[in-house]
Amino acid sequence: MMTYNFEPLRVRARLRTGAVCDKFMPLDGILLYQVHRWHYGAQVSTIPGGSVISENRTMSLPFKCANVGRHDWYYLCSWAQWSHEAEGKDYWNKRFDNAFASLIDFGGRRGNVIIGSGDYKAYHMPVFYRVSEMVEWYCVGDKAAVEALLSTVTNIGKKTAQGWGRVALWEVEKWAEDWSVWNGGRLMRGIPAKEAQPGMPYNIGVYGIRPSYWRRSNQMPLMMPL
C-alpha cells in the first residue's frame, strides 16, 4: 500500500482554450481518470453509465479523506476556482460531404446517402464552454503523486478530442492553509447537507460527493458553493 505525505496544496491549470464543463469541475474526478489509465491502460471505448471497476471498489487517490468509513466520505479537494471566467456557446457538426459521394460503391445501382438518420445522420449540436486564463483547486494531498498524475493531462473537461480544455501548464505548490473545504466563510466544494454551519452562505443541491460524479450511488443532497 502506498504511503502518502499529505499537506495543503494549490493546483493551478493555465489554459490555452475554453473548457467544456460545469463550473465545479472537481480535480479528484480528473485524477481518478488518470489513475484508471495507470492501472488499466488507455481508454479505447466507453459504455454509458458503465465502469471498468465495480461500485464496491474504489481507486486510491493522493488526497486526504473526510468522513472515513461513512457512505458520505469525500476527498479534501476543492472544486474549480475560476479566474475572471466568461461563458460561451459554440457548435460541433457532423455531416456527410456530398463532394465525395462519387467515391461510394453502390453496387451498380443508384444510391443515396441518408443523413436524416442512421450512421450518416447530420448533427449540429451546441457546446457550452467556460473561458478563463487559469483555474485553481485547493487540496490536502501528496505533492509528488499529484504532479505525477497531472504530468500527462493535456486537456480537461469534455470534447477534448475537438481541442477544448487544452492545458498550457500545470502548477502544484505547497499552500500555507487548508482551503480544500472552507476558505474563511466561503464554501469551496460540496459537502453533506448535515454539515451546514450557521450563518454560512450556500445552496442545497443534488450532486456527487466524490468521483465518479456520474454514479448515482455517489450523488446525494449537498451544501453547494454559491
Side-chain angles (χ1 to χ4, degrees):
M1 183 176 178
M2 184 177 295
T3 301
Y4 292 123
N5 178 30
F6 293 132
E7 57 187 336
L9 303 172
R10 182 181 71 178
V11 178
R12 173 183 288 171
R14 296 189 181 273
L15 302 177
R16 289 184 183 273
T17 62
V20 179
C21 61
D22 65 13
K23 68 177 182 178
F24 300 129
M25 194 167 58
L27 178 65
D28 50 7
I30 296 172
L31 293 195
L32 181 65
Y33 179 81
Q34 293 304 108
V35 168
H36 277 125
R37 287 186 63 194
W38 281 31
H39 281 81
Y40 301 108
Q43 185 182 55
V44 295
S45 64
T46 59
I47 302 174
S51 175
V52 296
I53 61 174
S54 69
E55 261 191 70
N56 296 325
R57 184 183 174 193
T58 59
M59 306 294 288
S60 176
L61 296 183
F63 299 125
K64 190 175 181 180
C65 293
N67 298 342
V68 176
R70 291 169 27 180
H71 76 285
D72 57 359
W73 68 269
Y74 58 93
Y75 292 109
L76 293 181
C77 182
S78 79
W79 290 351
Q81 308 296 312
W82 298 89
S83 173
H84 307 291
E85 82 275 17
E87 297 180 352
K89 179 181 179 181
D90 204 337
Y91 295 89
W92 66 268
N93 301 282
K94 173 187 171 185
R95 185 179 180 87
F96 177 76
D97 191 341
N98 289 314
F100 297 98
S102 61
L103 302 178
I104 300 176
D105 180 8
F106 289 107
R109 295 176 296 177
R110 183 178 180 180
N112 182 42
V113 177
I114 300 174
I115 63 173
S117 61
D119 293 339
Y120 297 99
K121 180 179 179 180
Y123 288 92
H124 181 63
M125 302 296 293
V127 171
F128 299 94
Y129 61 90
R130 305 179 74 84
V131 178
S132 179
E133 176 188 358
M134 61 187 177
V135 56
E136 297 175 341
W137 298 266
Y138 296 88
C139 61
V140 179
D142 184 290
K143 185 174 183 291
V146 170
E147 288 176 329
L149 287 170
L150 290 175
S151 65
T152 55
V153 179
T154 60
N155 299 69
I156 56 178
K158 297 182 178 180
K159 303 299 180 185
T160 57
Q162 299 176 10
W164 292 104
R166 186 178 177 187
V167 178
L169 178 68
W170 286 103
E171 300 171 351
V172 182
E173 61 180 314
K174 298 180 181 180
W175 206 242
E177 298 181 63
D178 174 9
W179 289 357
S180 61
V181 179
W182 294 98
N183 178 4
R186 185 160 67 93
L187 187 60
M188 302 287 278
R189 58 152 297 139
I191 59 176
K194 60 187 177 184
E195 296 181 11
Q197 298 184 19
M200 295 296 187
Y202 60 87
N203 290 323
I204 293 290
V206 176
Y207 201 85
I209 187 71
R210 59 181 175 270
S212 296
Y213 284 87
W214 53 264
R215 262 195 210 279
R216 289 185 181 273
S217 59
N218 290 343
Q219 297 173 358
M220 61 191 70
L222 300 178
M223 291 173 56
M224 304 284 286
L226 297 178

